[in-house]
């Protein structure tokens, strides 16, 4: 049965549900297939994106997130431009190839101008060599354009849950948390020619297997260039915490994430897929397992050590005590174990995106 599905060119929703439920030998065949697809279409290189979580100040109130606006227990920080640039220099010196600037969501002219200036500085101090991904939430077309023109060429904006009803259960119902607006932003980013990435959380309360299958089809239909998805991890100081009794055990959320990444790799062979930090919070070698079966991007945290504890999206976030140097050494060893190789000094752009652009010339 599973062979028949794995040999198809396109998966239906029912096929995906079957794959998400498979066990034992069938599960092994699924992972074997996605490993093969990965080697065949993108090889065994893993690209690094040095991640700077430069501010945990956020205007939103997502029910699952530890740094939501109404959580008064969070020590808010906003790293200075010079500290951000120091972290970026670390990434440049160590040949990371790319950096990601991530923050809580803020929509203001001041914020737009600040990012624009930072982008230009990063390009300057790296001789235009570092690739830059932004992950700064929903913004106007004008702001996205400004940032693109200042050097950002990839953007991550997770849809979090592609099913509108589920999305509504995870966010307050108001203009600031509109599912439609988020989809609109993803389309804008694509239109502006960003390599656009999205993703979801896996194992959320109220989420069904059908929802997860819809998530994968959503990514396929949107024709994304990149994906970052990981397990939902509960946070005590959030409204969603009271539904913790509805959750699958963490190891099952991890298992489901492996299957989601494996299936997505088969559905979209040439996109970039990240092995996210949340995976490591559940399984110490979680990211390595995910690289074996399909992921090709790692985002080592290069946020200055003293701030790391405060970017607390979920509990037990890993690497918060480590310095950027520790992470680097640790990662190298880890990638070897996964049988992969680091693509030092390369942008490692999404092949899916590059080839599509060539077709359109
Ligand atoms: N568990 C897992 N991931 C989370 N995020 C936010 N809160 C949590 C949580 N409790 C993720 C969201 C967001 C990204 C920056 O972090 O998907 O897009
Ligand atoms: Fe803000 Fe993002 Fe957390 Fe939502 S998930 S509260 S937008 S940091
Ligand atoms: Fe951060 Fe290992 S990856 S310490």
């Amino acid at each position: 049965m599973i062979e028949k599905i794995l040999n198809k060119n396109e998966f239906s929703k029912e096929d995906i549900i079957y794959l998400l439920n498979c066990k034992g030998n069938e599960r092994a065949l699924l992972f074997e297939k996605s490993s093969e697809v990965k080697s065949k279409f993108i090889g065994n290189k893993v690209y690094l994106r040095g991640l700077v979580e430069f501010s945990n100040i956020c205007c939103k109130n997502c029910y699952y997130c530890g740094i939501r606006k109404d959580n008064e227990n969070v020590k808010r920080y906003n790293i200075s431009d010079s500290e951000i640039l120091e972290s970026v220099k670390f990434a440049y010196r160590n040949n990371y190839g790319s950096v990601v600037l991530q923050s809580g969501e803020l929509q203001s002219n001041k914020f737009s101008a600040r990012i624009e200036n930072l982008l230009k500085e990063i390009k300057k101090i790296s001789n235009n060599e570092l690739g830059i991904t932004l992950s700064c939430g929903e913004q106007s077309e004008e702001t996205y354009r400004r940032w693109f023109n200042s050097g950002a060429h990839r953007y991550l904006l997770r849809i979090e849950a592609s099913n509108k009803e589920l999305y509504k259960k995870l966010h307050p119902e108001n203009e600031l948390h509109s599912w439609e607006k988020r989809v609109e932003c993803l389309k804008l980013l694509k239109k502006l020619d960003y390599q656009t990435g999205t993703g979801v959380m896996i194992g959320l309360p109220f989420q069904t297997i059908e929802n997860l299958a819809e998530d994968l089809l959503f990514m396929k239909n949107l024709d994304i260039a990149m994906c970052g998805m990981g397990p939902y991890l509960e946070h005590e100081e959030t409204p969603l915490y009271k539904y913790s009794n509805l959750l699958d055990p963490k190891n099952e959320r991890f298992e489901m994430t492996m299957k989601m990444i494996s299936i997505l790799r088969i559905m979209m062979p040439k996109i970039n897929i990240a092995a996210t930090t949340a995976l490591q919070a559940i399984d110490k070698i979680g990211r390595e397992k995910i690289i074996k079966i399909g992921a090709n991007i790692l985002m080592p945290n290069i946020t200055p050590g003293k701030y790391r504890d405060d970017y607390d999206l979920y509990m037990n976030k890993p690497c918060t005590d480590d310095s950027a140097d520790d992470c680097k050494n640790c990662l190298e060893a880890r990638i070897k174990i996964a049988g992969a190789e680091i693509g030092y000094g390369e942008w490692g752009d999404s092949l899916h995106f590059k080839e599509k652009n060539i077709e359109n010339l």
Side-chain angles (χ1 to χ4, degrees):
M1 173 69 184
I2 197 167
E3 284 92 345
K4 215 172 113 200
I5 298 179
L6 291 176
N7 284 325
K8 288 188 182 179
N9 289 329
E10 297 262 326
F11 294 156
S12 66
K13 186 164 164 187
E14 289 65 39
D15 294 334
I16 299 174
I17 293 174
Y18 186 92
L19 295 174
L20 287 171
N21 280 321
C22 72
K23 292 199 173 64
N25 188 42
E26 290 204 324
R27 170 185 181 271
L29 287 173
L30 168 65
F31 292 161
E32 212 173 280
K33 174 79 181 186
S34 60
S35 295
E36 262 173 41
V37 169
K38 184 185 160 189
S39 319
K40 178 166 166 206
F41 289 95
I42 57 168
N44 78 336
K45 271 198 191 164
V46 169
Y47 299 101
L48 302 181
R49 318 276 185 239
L51 172 66
V52 192
E53 295 160 332
F54 66 90
S55 159
N56 66 356
I57 303 171
C58 187
C59 67
K60 286 197 168 180
N61 259 317
C62 308
Y63 292 151
Y64 43 84
C65 178
I67 62 170
R68 62 200 300 276
K69 180 169 177 242
D70 286 354
N71 184 4
E72 287 172 4
N73 297 326
V74 178
K75 200 162 101 207
R76 301 290 163 176
Y77 71 81
N78 183 11
I79 302 182
S80 70
D81 288 2
S82 64
E83 281 176 301
I84 297 175
L85 293 172
E86 276 312 307
S87 297
V88 167
K89 279 183 199 154
F90 171 88
Y92 183 52
R93 268 202 315 278
N94 287 287
N95 253 328
Y96 275 17
S98 294
V99 290
V100 183
L101 298 185
Q102 186 170 65
S103 67
E105 233 175 276
L106 285 181
Q107 289 128 358
S108 69
N109 286 337
K110 196 172 145 206
F111 186 71
S112 301
R114 176 183 186 206
I115 302 295
E116 181 175 2
N117 173 52
L118 271 169
L119 291 166
K120 289 181 179 154
E121 286 296 318
I122 294 173
K123 285 291 173 187
K124 211 190 299 169
I125 61 176
S126 72
N127 295 317
N128 276 328
E129 285 171 24
L130 275 177
I132 311 175
T133 309
L134 288 178
S135 176
C136 301
E138 293 167 33
Q139 302 289 341
S140 66
E141 176 165 359
E142 180 50 32
T143 296
Y144 283 150
R145 184 176 290 116
R146 261 171 94 177
W147 291 349
F148 188 85
N149 290 337
S150 310
H153 66 133
R154 308 186 191 107
Y155 205 103
L156 293 171
L157 185 71
R158 288 188 177 182
I159 187 66
E160 315 293 0
S162 68
N163 180 291
K164 223 162 94 174
E165 296 313 309
L166 178 58
Y167 192 92
K168 278 190 191 159
K169 293 185 180 140
L170 306 172
H171 301 91
E173 265 199 81
N174 58 35
E175 200 30 45
L176 199 55
H177 299 84
S178 142
W179 181 89
E180 283 82 2
K181 172 98 195 300
R182 210 156 176 89
V183 174
E184 233 6 82
C185 283
L186 283 166
K187 290 188 178 157
L188 267 180
L189 289 163
K190 280 192 64 188
K191 185 182 92 176
L192 293 171
D193 223 20
Y194 277 98
Q195 285 177 56
T196 305
T198 194
V200 295
M201 283 172 286
I202 296 157
L204 288 157
F206 320 117
Q207 189 180 48
T208 63
I209 289 273
E210 283 77 16
N211 292 153
L212 291 170
E214 288 161 16
D215 288 338
L216 294 178
L217 290 168
F218 173 89
M219 296 182 212
K220 175 90 184 172
N221 290 336
L222 195 66
D223 199 28
I224 52 163
M226 332 184 282
C227 174
M229 56 185 165
Y232 164 68
L233 296 166
E234 59 273 39
H235 192 296
E236 272 172 350
E237 294 156 359
T238 62
L240 217 56
Y241 192 70
K242 60 175 171 293
Y243 299 109
S244 299
N245 61 320
L246 299 179
L247 298 177
D248 287 332
K250 283 203 181 114
N251 61 334
E252 285 177 30
R253 283 177 252 163
F254 180 84
E255 170 70 17
M256 201 46 93
T257 306
M258 289 204 34
K259 286 180 176 157
M260 287 285 283
I261 288 183
S262 166
I263 299 167
L264 183 65
R265 174 55 74 205
I266 302 171
M267 290 170 73
M268 305 188 79
K270 293 184 178 176
I271 63 168
N272 279 345
I273 304 180
T276 57
T277 321
L279 290 162
Q280 200 191 334
I282 298 186
D283 183 327
K284 288 220 153 29
I285 54 163
R287 293 184 300 185
E288 292 74 353
K289 290 183 182 168
I290 299 277
I291 288 170
K292 274 204 173 134
I293 57 139
N296 67 324
I297 301 289
L298 267 179
M299 296 166 49
N301 198 331
I302 55 168
T303 310
K306 63 180 167 177
Y307 299 110
R308 285 197 199 185
D309 262 344
D310 299 315
Y311 203 84
D312 200 6
L313 301 167
Y314 43 82
M315 296 188 291
N316 304 321
K317 204 164 162 250
C319 304
T320 50
D321 297 330
D322 303 291
S323 72
D325 268 319
D326 292 341
C327 259
K328 177 170 183 276
N329 296 333
C330 168
L331 271 178
E332 246 169 58
R334 285 164 175 275
I335 289 181
K336 271 211 188 111
I337 295 168
E341 179 195 337
I342 300 182
Y344 278 117
E346 296 179 55
W347 278 14
D349 277 338
S350 161
L351 276 185
H352 183 83
F353 179 87
K354 282 209 275 201
E355 291 179 4
K356 204 171 60 192
N357 273 18
I358 291 169
E359 274 167 30
N360 290 340
L361 281 181

